[in-house]
Amino acid sequence: MCWRFPCELAVQSPQLLEESRVGEDPAVLFDFADGVQQAEAMTDHEHFGLAKMSPPSVRLWKPKHVAKWLKDEGFCDYVDLLCDKHRLDGSSLLALSEYDLRSPPLELKVLGDIKRLMASIRKLQKQNRDALEELGLPFDGHSPTGSGDWLCNGDAAARACDDDDGGGADNDDDEYRKYTNGKYKQQTRRLDPECWKTVLSSVYVVFVFGFTSFVMVIVHERVPDMATYPPLPDIFLDSMPRIPWAFAMAEACGVILCTIWLLVLLLHKHRSILLRRMCSLMGTVFMLRCITMFVTSLSVPGQHLQCSGKIYGDMWAKLRRAAAIWSGFGMTLTGVHTCGDYMFSGHTVVITLLNFFVTEYTPRGWHFIHTLSWVLNLFGIFFILAAHEHYSIDVFIAFYITTRLFLYYHTLANTRAYQQSRRARIWFPMFSFFECNVNGPVPNEYCWPFTRPAVLKLVIG
């Protein structure tokens, strides 16, 4: 009689043989020893056979192996879709994410099946981390493939930039930050400040302000005569008495908003990107304002305005007047008085844009700052109308254009939709140039902009 043993038993045979000698029949012991010797002699051969019969690595799986795996896991309904129609193999199975299951062309509709299938895939990924790393898809434990582009529920993930010192790179847990609802976002990118682009945007807005000042001088020469063209009918202005000090209050609201914005800009970690966006938006709106007020000259909105066509003489005189308007920021608080620049209100543009930038680039929990910003914006608009310095339509159009342009700009920048649209790149070339390297929303992170002096470092460490 010859006994056949598994390879593991053959390796442990001396100990088993020793333990079995007590109280056993000699014939049985002889058969046992003979079986052990044959098992030891065939160990290498058995290992070769077992290795030959073992299933291939997941990376080498063909669609038929994936189909078998799906059936074993209880997903027979999806074998035809994944394996027959889309030819899913082992590598593509490891790279599969929940977003892939939810989005075209798969578009699975049953939530329970999506969650269970992803749980099985994550288990398979965990067992094959080496294969994932070879595919360039390290297993992170939160995101299905570690791509970081999408959250586990299929929504777009908001990315956060890395710290300047890169201190979190050594710890796997530091590569992810947790949302309040338990989801994770990956810190996989660092926003490049691209200061040279910020300098270009600053040059652009300075040029536009200078050009606007010159156009205001030209418009002043063409202002309609009040005796011939009295103020136009306006429901708000006709029903509300003029408040003489209201325009100064409107400019005071603008100064307060500007101070808040400068503090936010100074302390924001991505101040270069914020300043670039402010300059590009401000310059674009004011360039549009140059066109509208030059094309159409409206009569003055109130009898209190002593405006008449004024000829400044030669070009040099016009340039000096434009420089005076530019240096005084076009504000009455600095002694600048202009006429004819009514369509549309520049003060409304500045106040509204400052409000939107303050509320956009401060945390959502700063309710006091957001409320104060909106109060200053709305009161500033009210004071402009109460001073009878602009028609109601001037203020309405200024507010509408400014808010729409701000929202369109940030929607395109945050969703990166223009990258898939050739038309968007053609119609918004400046936007595409400034935002081409800003991937997604800019996180609201703050840091002190100045380095501590050497003496202060010695004192406080």
Side-chain angles (χ1 to χ4, degrees), residues 244-385:
W245 46 266
F247 200 64
M249 290 299 298
E251 292 186 342
C253 291
V255 171
I256 297 173
L257 271 173
C258 186
T259 303
I260 297 174
W261 163 243
L262 290 176
L263 288 175
V264 172
L265 185 65
L266 180 67
L267 298 176
H268 204 284
K269 183 177 180 180
H270 308 290
R271 60 188 68 87
S272 178
I273 298 175
L274 271 59
L275 180 59
R276 182 164 69 242
R277 291 181 172 181
M278 167 63 85
C279 291
S280 60
L281 284 172
M282 188 79 74
T284 301
V285 177
F286 269 84
M287 183 63 75
L288 179 61
R289 181 173 181 261
C290 288
I291 298 173
T292 56
M293 68 182 179
F294 178 78
V295 171
T296 303
S297 296
L298 299 178
S299 58
V300 294
Q303 297 290 346
H304 66 285
L305 295 172
Q306 302 300 320
C307 288
S308 60
K310 184 175 182 181
I311 305 300
Y312 287 97
D314 58 4
M315 180 61 68
W316 183 246
K318 290 184 176 65
L319 291 175
R320 284 202 304 268
R321 175 58 181 167
I325 296 174
W326 179 82
S327 61
F329 300 102
M331 298 172 60
T332 58
L333 291 178
T334 59
V336 176
H337 297 277
T338 59
C339 288
D341 54 328
Y342 300 123
M343 180 59 66
F344 43 87
S345 171
H347 284 71
T348 303
V349 169
V350 173
I351 292 174
T352 303
L353 206 55
L354 288 172
N355 168 38
F356 271 66
F357 268 92
V358 168
T359 53
E360 175 70 19
Y361 293 107
T362 50
R364 297 292 177 260
W366 291 17
H367 301 298
F368 174 76
I369 294 296
H370 295 176
T371 303
L372 176 62
S373 180
W374 271 106
V375 167
L376 291 172
N377 188 182
L378 297 178
F379 268 91
I381 291 175
F382 169 77
F383 285 135
I384 292 173
L385 294 174

